Amino acid sequence: MNLTISKLRRKWSDTAVKYRSHAPKKLSGDHKTLLRNFGALSVLQGLNMILPLITLPYVLRIFGAEKYGVIVLANSLLMYFQGFADFSFNITATRDVAVHRHSKRILSLIYSRVLSTKAILVMFSFLLFLPLVLLVPQFAQNKLVFLLTFPALAGYALFPDWFFQGVEEMKVITILSACIKIFFTVCIFVFIRKPEDFFWYPLFQALGYIGAGLYAQYLMHTRYRLQFRFIGFARIKEVLRSNFSIFINQFLPNLYNNSTTFLLGILTGTSAVGVYGAAKSLIEAANAGLNILSRVFFPFLNRRSGAFGKFQKLILAAGIALCAGICVLSIPITKIFHLQGREAVWILCIMAISVFFMAMYYCYGTNYFIVKRADKLVMKNTLYASITGFVMAFPLIMLFSGVGAAINLAMARGMMGVGLWWKYKTEEK
């Protein structure tokens, strides 16, 4: 009897072990964090894709391509200063926070370092921005729109997305960014009724970012218990020096990106900028989806570089899918957004190719070489692509107008993405 019971117990034990070995494995803490962050930022990407579908046709119908082109031009000018004021903290500070996330003392130091440096850079930016607006004729004609655009830079500087990304709390970014976008969308439909109301557009945009930035700073002090202390000009100088390589890498794409928009406006007028800017906003919405994958995996790959292979397949597949989808739906998209003519379809399709190139850049640049601290390699690659794009913008826009601007954008991003892929394959060998 005892022998039978013993056999039954052994049999039951073996069965239980076998069952457990075939049972679905529970998600690890890292996988749960990745899924939670991806879910949070996917909500944000959904808003990035849906809200332009709602607001852009309305704005283009009320303002027309010419007045909307003025807004695009003002935002393009601000983008130079946004890149300057950020000074690559979205990469370097995120990396530092991811490594030291469990030390309140070091986090407070990083927080003070970033905020002190950004405050000085924003003030310096205004001293450059104001005379540009007042002295350049194309800007001075609509100086109120340009001046109302600038306060958004203060909101950008106050919003510590680099910190929330580093501690892998993407839901905070999602909630605050969603509040900005919903506030902005509601204000457009409530207050913008006629073409003369177009100065409200940059004002509401700025108010949304400032409000979110102030609330984010409140969270930094109350929820995360971080203390701010001005670090002094000597340390700020050291921060600028240490961040310079990645800053150049992050800032240089403005040479082909924003400069293309500027040249299009100066050489062909704000109407062409309006069509190009509307198409580009749709492309950047698609790129935002790739940026989400990049931002979700960046702190994770800093801790677990061995997971790069799976990330590589995922982001490149997403890039191909988005590129193909935009090309297939290009005609109905241009009709929905009141972008008339065959030229608008060509612009959208050409720029869609750049979506896949951006997937390559996020993959091999941000999440491979920068994770490996090969900052200068990425900087040189970006430098060559950006200078080429800047130089080629002149003849392409002169010859082909908006289509030439789209070709220039796709070509420069292609050089960035393919160049880093080639360096990655060379290193593998």
Side-chain angles (χ1 to χ4, degrees):
M1 181 70 177
N2 289 336
L3 184 61
T4 304
I5 293 173
S6 178
K7 287 181 178 179
L8 286 172
R9 283 176 178 171
R10 283 198 300 271
K11 185 177 181 181
W12 171 258
S13 177
D14 292 342
T15 304
V17 169
K18 185 178 179 181
Y19 173 78
R20 283 196 299 270
S21 67
H22 288 85
K25 294 182 179 178
K26 292 183 178 180
L27 291 174
S28 67
D30 285 333
H31 287 103
K32 286 181 180 179
T33 300
L34 286 172
L35 288 173
R36 183 173 64 248
N37 290 333
F38 181 76
L41 290 182
S42 293
V43 172
L44 180 58
Q45 170 59 8
L47 288 173
N48 285 337
M49 296 183 71
I50 293 170
L51 293 183
L53 292 174
I54 298 171
T55 59
L56 196 53
Y58 177 79
V59 167
L60 286 169
R61 181 168 60 83
I62 298 295
F63 296 157
E66 187 173 353
K67 285 188 178 296
Y68 182 69
V70 174
I71 294 169
V72 172
L73 204 58
N75 280 323
S76 295
L77 177 61
L78 189 70
M79 287 296 290
Y80 284 109
F81 294 96
Q82 183 186 342
F84 175 66
D86 181 73
F87 216 83
S88 78
F89 287 119
N90 62 323
I91 297 292
T92 58
T94 299
R95 188 169 64 187
D96 292 341
V97 169
V99 173
H100 302 289
R101 58 193 296 177
H102 300 298
S103 172
K104 282 282 171 49
R105 184 183 64 82
I106 298 179
L107 288 179
S108 288
L109 177 61
I110 296 168
Y111 170 59
S112 298
R113 189 171 61 197
V114 173
L115 210 60
S116 298
T117 307
K118 283 194 173 190
I120 298 300
L121 293 175
V122 169
M123 287 188 284
F124 186 72
S125 294
F126 183 71
L127 296 177
L128 295 175
F129 185 88
L130 184 60
L132 272 175
V133 171
L134 297 178
L135 297 176
V136 177
Q138 286 88 346
F139 304 157
Q141 291 173 2
N142 297 282
K143 60 185 176 185
L144 181 60
V145 173
F146 281 82
L147 292 175
L148 290 175
T149 301
F150 186 82
L153 184 64
Y156 289 133
L158 286 170
F159 193 76
D161 53 344
W162 51 269
F163 176 82
F164 298 125
Q165 184 182 348
V167 296
E168 297 182 85
E169 288 286 347
M170 307 301 191
K171 64 181 180 181
V172 180
I173 299 176
T174 300
I175 292 169
L176 293 178
S177 297
C179 290
I180 296 171
K181 295 176 186 302
I182 293 170
F183 168 81
F184 180 56
T185 301
V186 170
C187 287
I188 285 176
F189 287 107
V190 172
F191 294 100
I192 294 177
R193 300 287 184 176
K194 53 187 184 298
E196 292 75 19
D197 294 334
F198 79 122
F199 69 90
W200 286 108
Y201 191 100
L203 178 62
F204 294 140
Q205 190 175 43
L207 289 175
Y209 280 107
I210 290 171
L214 290 173
Y215 183 73
Q217 291 299 318
Y218 170 77
L219 287 179
M220 298 289 278
H221 288 279
T222 57
R223 179 175 174 179
Y224 297 98
R225 306 290 182 185
L226 300 185
Q227 299 297 318
F228 170 76
R229 290 183 178 84
F230 185 71
I231 63 172
F233 292 102
R235 288 189 177 182
I236 288 174
K237 184 178 178 181
E238 176 60 27
V239 170
L240 296 176
R241 188 199 62 78
S242 62
N243 278 26
F244 186 74
S245 293
I246 297 185
F247 162 68
I248 292 297
N249 176 65
Q250 296 287 296
F251 187 79
L252 280 175
N254 285 302
L255 287 178
Y256 73 85
N257 202 348
N258 286 336
S259 297
T260 299
T261 306
F262 269 114
L263 290 171
L264 189 61
I266 292 169
L267 297 175
T268 64
T270 55
S271 180
V273 174
V275 175
Y276 175 81
K280 188 167 180 282
S281 68
L282 298 173
I283 296 300
E284 299 304 357
N287 284 333
L290 301 174
N291 189 35
I292 285 173
L293 286 175
S294 177
R295 292 171 68 184
V296 166
F297 276 87
F298 181 72
F300 174 71
L301 290 172
N302 271 278
R303 295 183 287 111
R304 299 273 300 276
S305 59
F308 175 76
K310 292 181 179 179
F311 168 75
Q312 177 185 8
K313 294 177 183 177
L314 177 63
I315 196 166
L316 293 181
I320 292 172
L322 287 169
C323 174
I326 293 170
C327 289
V328 170
L329 299 174
S330 58
I331 293 176
I333 287 172
T334 53
K335 288 181 178 179
I336 290 171
F337 284 88
H338 304 284
L339 302 175
Q340 303 299 325
R342 189 175 297 176
E343 182 179 356
V345 176
W346 275 107
I347 289 172
L348 190 60
C349 288
I350 292 167
M351 285 200 289
I353 300 170
S354 72
V355 175
F356 177 67
F357 292 142
M358 285 306 296
M360 297 179 75
Y361 175 79
Y362 286 134
C363 180
Y364 303 109
T366 304
N367 287 281
Y368 184 76
F369 285 115
I370 288 181
V371 166
K372 295 183 68 175
R373 303 299 198 268
D375 303 344
K376 290 185 178 179
L377 184 151
V378 180
M379 180 192 73
K380 288 179 181 178
N381 182 78
T382 305
L383 177 64
Y384 298 145
S386 299
I387 291 175
T388 303
F390 180 72
V391 172
M392 292 302 297
F394 291 87
L396 286 171
I397 291 172
M398 290 292 291
L399 290 172
F400 306 111
S401 187
V403 173
I407 293 171
N408 191 60
L409 181 79
M411 178 192 67
R413 290 182 174 178
M415 289 182 67
M416 288 172 60
V418 175
L420 289 169
W421 168 79
W422 181 257
K423 287 178 173 59
Y424 167 77
K425 297 299 288 185
T426 303
E427 185 179 282
E428 268 197 330
K429 292 178 182 178

